[in-house]
Amino acid sequence: MSKLTTQRQAILDVINSSNRHWDADELTRSLSDAGKPIGIATVYRGLAALEAQGLIHSIQLADKKRYERADKEHHDHMVCTQCGHIEEFSHQTIEQLQQAAAHEKNFKLTGHQLVMFGLCSGCQQE
Amino acid sequence: MSKLTTQRQAILDVINSSNRHWDADELTRSLSDAGKPIGIATVYRGLAALEAQGLIHSIQLADKKRYERADKEHHDHMVCTQCGHIEEFSHQTIEQLQQAAAHEKNFKLTGHQLVMFGLCSGCQQE
DNA sequence: GGCATAACGATAATCGTTATCACTGTGGTG
DNA sequence: CACCACAGTGATAACGATTATCGTTATGCC
Ligand SMILES: [Mn+2]
Ligand SMILES: [Mn+2]
Ligand SMILES: [Zn+2]
Ligand SMILES: [Zn+2]
């Protein structure tokens, strides 16, 4: 298991201190702005290490990967195609039905990602 | 509405003549091998045009986009993380519950993508 | 036939991510 | 304490998928 270096702790702190879904570049800039400059390669390696240790979670969007804190219950995401806002939701029955569907196809499930696209409540006002 | 040129018809024919999920490069090579060389940029533009017209569908995987025929009932995908095999499944209840979840968050749903990761039946035999 | 226009194709550019590599910090070991 | 091993760092090159550019080509219409 890799170690929790100063840089990785700093990344983890930023992520854990908010409910945002961060990309690598945003984290790099946030740390720079906070007076803790960090190499972009270090950010990518740190994110991979932190995720491997289960300390953060990620969602793979069309263009890039976004990371969020891991200390929340499992949830899936609705992404606003207008403003990029990410809404979270949990649905226990959907989770169960996924297991059932996998079982039926003889598929050994290790993970899943459900992303819904559309307009957030704010963006419907126009 | 863009036109269905010779090149786009050729792309559509390849996709419609199989149940595979194609990426741009595979299509380019397939057409070349069939004696119908086509520029890679033309493939990308053609795929975008065909999808905009609803003639093909796509799924966005981590690294690349894959295209498939649109003349099948809506379904979601299980992707084998070992061999890349893509298994399809439909689940009416999951679809309905997604609508309900969106409604509950005041989210105007326009699309979704559910991908399950794991091992296909073949890859569990080891 | 001549024109307008959309599409084509070669290729440059873009962008997120990973690989390389010289260098640094840390944690044992003698 | 001095020395080593080695994972991690950071600048930067490389990569791969996709998009932009731009001169050329095909098509439909007058
Ligand atoms: Mn989330
Ligand atoms: Mn499919
Ligand atoms: Zn929005
Ligand atoms: Zn498999």
PDB file of all heavy atoms in Angstrom, chain B residues 106-118:
ATOM      1  N   ASN B 106     -36.377  17.156  -9.384  1.00  0.00           N
ATOM      2  CA  ASN B 106     -36.697  18.249 -10.289  1.00  0.00           C
ATOM      3  C   ASN B 106     -35.747  18.321 -11.468  1.00  0.00           C
ATOM      4  O   ASN B 106     -35.357  19.405 -11.909  1.00  0.00           O
ATOM      5  CB  ASN B 106     -36.649  19.579  -9.544  1.00  0.00           C
ATOM      6  CG  ASN B 106     -38.037  20.076  -9.268  1.00  0.00           C
ATOM      7  OD1 ASN B 106     -38.773  20.404 -10.194  1.00  0.00           O
ATOM      8  ND2 ASN B 106     -38.406  20.089  -7.998  1.00  0.00           N
ATOM      9  N   PHE B 107     -35.353  17.167 -11.950  1.00  0.00           N
ATOM     10  CA  PHE B 107     -34.370  17.094 -13.019  1.00  0.00           C
ATOM     11  C   PHE B 107     -35.083  16.657 -14.290  1.00  0.00           C
ATOM     12  O   PHE B 107     -35.781  15.645 -14.313  1.00  0.00           O
ATOM     13  CB  PHE B 107     -33.296  16.077 -12.614  1.00  0.00           C
ATOM     14  CG  PHE B 107     -32.060  16.092 -13.454  1.00  0.00           C
ATOM     15  CD1 PHE B 107     -31.041  17.010 -13.202  1.00  0.00           C
ATOM     16  CD2 PHE B 107     -31.887  15.179 -14.480  1.00  0.00           C
ATOM     17  CE1 PHE B 107     -29.879  17.019 -13.960  1.00  0.00           C
ATOM     18  CE2 PHE B 107     -30.734  15.183 -15.243  1.00  0.00           C
ATOM     19  CZ  PHE B 107     -29.725  16.103 -14.989  1.00  0.00           C
ATOM     20  N   LYS B 108     -34.886  17.426 -15.366  1.00  0.00           N
ATOM     21  CA  LYS B 108     -35.550  17.085 -16.627  1.00  0.00           C
ATOM     22  C   LYS B 108     -34.667  16.131 -17.404  1.00  0.00           C
ATOM     23  O   LYS B 108     -33.699  16.528 -18.047  1.00  0.00           O
ATOM     24  CB  LYS B 108     -35.800  18.346 -17.457  1.00  0.00           C
ATOM     25  CG  LYS B 108     -36.566  18.056 -18.728  1.00  0.00           C
ATOM     26  CD  LYS B 108     -36.974  19.329 -19.432  1.00  0.00           C
ATOM     27  CE  LYS B 108     -37.759  19.018 -20.709  1.00  0.00           C
ATOM     28  NZ  LYS B 108     -38.105  20.262 -21.415  1.00  0.00           N
ATOM     29  N   LEU B 109     -35.036  14.878 -17.368  1.00  0.00           N
ATOM     30  CA  LEU B 109     -34.205  13.807 -17.912  1.00  0.00           C
ATOM     31  C   LEU B 109     -34.228  13.791 -19.444  1.00  0.00           C
ATOM     32  O   LEU B 109     -35.278  13.814 -20.057  1.00  0.00           O
ATOM     33  CB  LEU B 109     -34.729  12.470 -17.373  1.00  0.00           C
ATOM     34  CG  LEU B 109     -33.845  11.250 -17.432  1.00  0.00           C
ATOM     35  CD1 LEU B 109     -32.542  11.518 -16.696  1.00  0.00           C
ATOM     36  CD2 LEU B 109     -34.570  10.070 -16.802  1.00  0.00           C
ATOM     37  N   THR B 110     -33.036  13.755 -20.044  1.00  0.00           N
ATOM     38  CA  THR B 110     -32.973  13.633 -21.511  1.00  0.00           C
ATOM     39  C   THR B 110     -32.233  12.377 -21.950  1.00  0.00           C
ATOM     40  O   THR B 110     -32.312  11.983 -23.102  1.00  0.00           O
ATOM     41  CB  THR B 110     -32.271  14.853 -22.125  1.00  0.00           C
ATOM     42  OG1 THR B 110     -30.962  14.955 -21.574  1.00  0.00           O
ATOM     43  CG2 THR B 110     -33.033  16.130 -21.840  1.00  0.00           C
ATOM     44  N   GLY B 111     -31.510  11.779 -21.035  1.00  0.00           N
ATOM     45  CA  GLY B 111     -30.781  10.558 -21.400  1.00  0.00           C
ATOM     46  C   GLY B 111     -30.101   9.964 -20.183  1.00  0.00           C
ATOM     47  O   GLY B 111     -30.081  10.567 -19.113  1.00  0.00           O
ATOM     48  N   HIS B 112     -29.573   8.786 -20.358  1.00  0.00           N
ATOM     49  CA  HIS B 112     -28.842   8.171 -19.257  1.00  0.00           C
ATOM     50  C   HIS B 112     -27.908   7.120 -19.814  1.00  0.00           C
ATOM     51  O   HIS B 112     -28.048   6.689 -20.964  1.00  0.00           O
ATOM     52  CB  HIS B 112     -29.809   7.530 -18.262  1.00  0.00           C
ATOM     53  CG  HIS B 112     -30.435   6.265 -18.772  1.00  0.00           C
ATOM     54  ND1 HIS B 112     -31.628   6.245 -19.448  1.00  0.00           N
ATOM     55  CD2 HIS B 112     -30.015   4.977 -18.744  1.00  0.00           C
ATOM     56  CE1 HIS B 112     -31.923   5.006 -19.799  1.00  0.00           C
ATOM     57  NE2 HIS B 112     -30.955   4.221 -19.389  1.00  0.00           N
ATOM     58  N   GLN B 113     -26.986   6.715 -18.984  1.00  0.00           N
ATOM     59  CA  GLN B 113     -26.094   5.619 -19.358  1.00  0.00           C
ATOM     60  C   GLN B 113     -25.741   4.832 -18.118  1.00  0.00           C
ATOM     61  O   GLN B 113     -25.172   5.357 -17.171  1.00  0.00           O
ATOM     62  CB  GLN B 113     -24.820   6.150 -20.013  1.00  0.00           C
ATOM     63  CG  GLN B 113     -23.881   5.023 -20.439  1.00  0.00           C
ATOM     64  CD  GLN B 113     -22.666   5.528 -21.200  1.00  0.00           C
ATOM     65  OE1 GLN B 113     -22.774   6.008 -22.317  1.00  0.00           O
ATOM     66  NE2 GLN B 113     -21.497   5.422 -20.583  1.00  0.00           N
ATOM     67  N   LEU B 114     -26.141   3.574 -18.136  1.00  0.00           N
ATOM     68  CA  LEU B 114     -25.816   2.683 -17.028  1.00  0.00           C
ATOM     69  C   LEU B 114     -24.826   1.645 -17.525  1.00  0.00           C
ATOM     70  O   LEU B 114     -25.136   0.871 -18.433  1.00  0.00           O
ATOM     71  CB  LEU B 114     -27.086   1.999 -16.517  1.00  0.00           C
ATOM     72  CG  LEU B 114     -26.898   0.851 -15.521  1.00  0.00           C
ATOM     73  CD1 LEU B 114     -26.089   1.272 -14.308  1.00  0.00           C
ATOM     74  CD2 LEU B 114     -28.264   0.302 -15.082  1.00  0.00           C
ATOM     75  N   VAL B 115     -23.635   1.654 -16.969  1.00  0.00           N
ATOM     76  CA  VAL B 115     -22.629   0.652 -17.342  1.00  0.00           C
ATOM     77  C   VAL B 115     -22.249  -0.123 -16.094  1.00  0.00           C
ATOM     78  O   VAL B 115     -21.936   0.464 -15.058  1.00  0.00           O
ATOM     79  CB  VAL B 115     -21.370   1.301 -17.943  1.00  0.00           C
ATOM     80  CG1 VAL B 115     -20.337   0.237 -18.285  1.00  0.00           C
ATOM     81  CG2 VAL B 115     -21.723   2.099 -19.190  1.00  0.00           C
ATOM     82  N   MET B 116     -22.294  -1.438 -16.207  1.00  0.00           N
ATOM     83  CA  MET B 116     -21.881  -2.285 -15.096  1.00  0.00           C
ATOM     84  C   MET B 116     -20.541  -2.915 -15.465  1.00  0.00           C
ATOM     85  O   MET B 116     -20.349  -3.354 -16.588  1.00  0.00           O
ATOM     86  CB  MET B 116     -22.947  -3.344 -14.823  1.00  0.00           C
ATOM     87  CG  MET B 116     -24.259  -2.665 -14.409  1.00  0.00           C
ATOM     88  SD  MET B 116     -25.686  -3.695 -14.008  1.00  0.00           S
ATOM     89  CE  MET B 116     -25.017  -5.319 -14.017  1.00  0.00           C
ATOM     90  N   PHE B 117     -19.625  -2.967 -14.508  1.00  0.00           N
ATOM     91  CA  PHE B 117     -18.312  -3.538 -14.752  1.00  0.00           C
ATOM     92  C   PHE B 117     -18.164  -4.843 -13.987  1.00  0.00           C
ATOM     93  O   PHE B 117     -18.743  -5.011 -12.909  1.00  0.00           O
ATOM     94  CB  PHE B 117     -17.226  -2.566 -14.292  1.00  0.00           C
ATOM     95  CG  PHE B 117     -17.322  -1.227 -14.944  1.00  0.00           C
ATOM     96  CD1 PHE B 117     -17.907  -0.155 -14.289  1.00  0.00           C
ATOM     97  CD2 PHE B 117     -16.842  -1.035 -16.240  1.00  0.00           C
ATOM     98  CE1 PHE B 117     -18.017   1.081 -14.897  1.00  0.00           C
ATOM     99  CE2 PHE B 117     -16.948   0.197 -16.860  1.00  0.00           C
ATOM    100  CZ  PHE B 117     -17.545   1.263 -16.187  1.00  0.00           C
ATOM    101  N   GLY B 118     -17.378  -5.754 -14.555  1.00  0.00           N
ATOM    102  CA  GLY B 118     -17.161  -7.018 -13.873  1.00  0.00           C
ATOM    103  C   GLY B 118     -16.577  -8.047 -14.809  1.00  0.00           C
ATOM    104  O   GLY B 118     -15.911  -7.688 -15.780  1.00  0.00           O
TER     105      GLY B 118
END
